[in-house]
Amino acid sequence: MNDVEKLIVAETEYFKPMLARADQSTLEQRERWRHETIRERQERISLEVYDLLHGQVKYGPFKGLRLDRNTWWGKLDLGSQCLGLYEKEILQLVDAIANDQYSTFIDIGAADGYYAIGMLVSGKIGKTICFEQTEQGREVIAANWRKNGSAGALTILGAANQQSLATLTPQDLRNALVLIDIEGFEFELLTAEVLELLQTATVVIEVHHWVEAFLAKYETLLTEASRFFTIEAIERVERETSHLAELRDFTDDNRLLLTSERRPGLMRFLKFTPKNR
């Protein structure tokens, strides 16, 4: 086979999935897709990727984690979670963690348990404590944990507040990794007393800037936290998709939409590292 013939074979293989997708869609489907809302399209392609990968994370530190298709919180993110793209900033931080580097993972605002169970399945941390205020969320976390073979040790608690956090033992908190994602309530939760309680843990926070009087609350949080922690911003990571064979036949719009987390701006993640460990 000469060079041109090899090139033709390679290019035929490259375009095969794109041509197959074009042949598979019906006129009725294409007409229906033209009238989709952005949210409807994102859910459709998210679930398409989820089904393609049989509901299992294929890339990243949570590889092998099984996700539930009938999630109550993050159905639009299932596809990007399966591809290891969702909240890439946090996934890179998790990827850099050595096994047993932290004693406990404490997930405040655990939603469906993506991080809580992912940590256990990955073997990064063997013990997880979840705080999730909704009963439905707690039930889903428990079901997803069982779906993943009940890996590690999991405790599921209700809403996080000063009283419930105070029930954690010094052993739970010493050298723990805490993730806080509670949709703006972080400013009410992280009082001086709670920050002092968490001072032996590494804390990662998603900052939600759309709350009322944000800058004043943010300044107070940073000032109080600086008493106990070294504070650093976690840099934004782009969600690159061009290397993923699973998305080769997706349109440019759909690849980008798959990675959208529907945020109102570039979100800020902070990492608090204890000053006195």
Side-chain angles (χ1 to χ4, degrees), residues 71-73 108-113 130-142 156-160 182-183:
T71 175
W72 76 279
W73 177 263
I108 299 178
D112 296 314
C130 293
F131 288 88
E132 172 51 47
Q133 65 178 350
T134 68
E135 182 179 356
Q136 183 180 7
R138 295 192 294 272
E139 290 173 354
V140 168
I141 292 168
I156 306 172
L157 303 175
I182 46 178
E183 304 301 314

Side-chain angles (χ1 to χ4, degrees), residues 228-245:
F228 306 105
F229 302 94
T230 300
I231 303 171
E232 62 178 303
I234 300 173
E235 293 300 318
R236 162 79 182 179
V237 179
E238 292 301 321
R239 280 68 166 153
E240 178 60 52
T241 62
S242 60
H243 64 293
L244 294 170

Side-chain angles (χ1 to χ4, degrees), residues 52-106:
L52 178 67
L53 298 180
H54 307 291
Q56 193 165 11
V57 176
K58 186 173 181 179
Y59 304 105
F62 296 158
K63 181 179 179 179
L65 175 66
R66 295 186 178 279
L67 304 176
D68 194 328
R69 196 179 198 274
N70 296 315
T71 175
W72 76 279
W73 177 263
K75 187 171 289 188
L76 278 70
D77 299 313
L78 283 172
S80 61
Q81 288 174 343
C82 284
L83 292 170
L85 298 172
Y86 180 71
E87 292 190 341
K88 191 76 170 175
E89 295 83 1
I90 305 302
L91 290 181
Q92 284 199 357
L93 183 150
V94 171
D95 210 18
I97 295 172
N99 288 8
D100 300 322
Q101 179 178 339
Y102 294 101
S103 59
T104 308
F105 177 61
I106 300 173

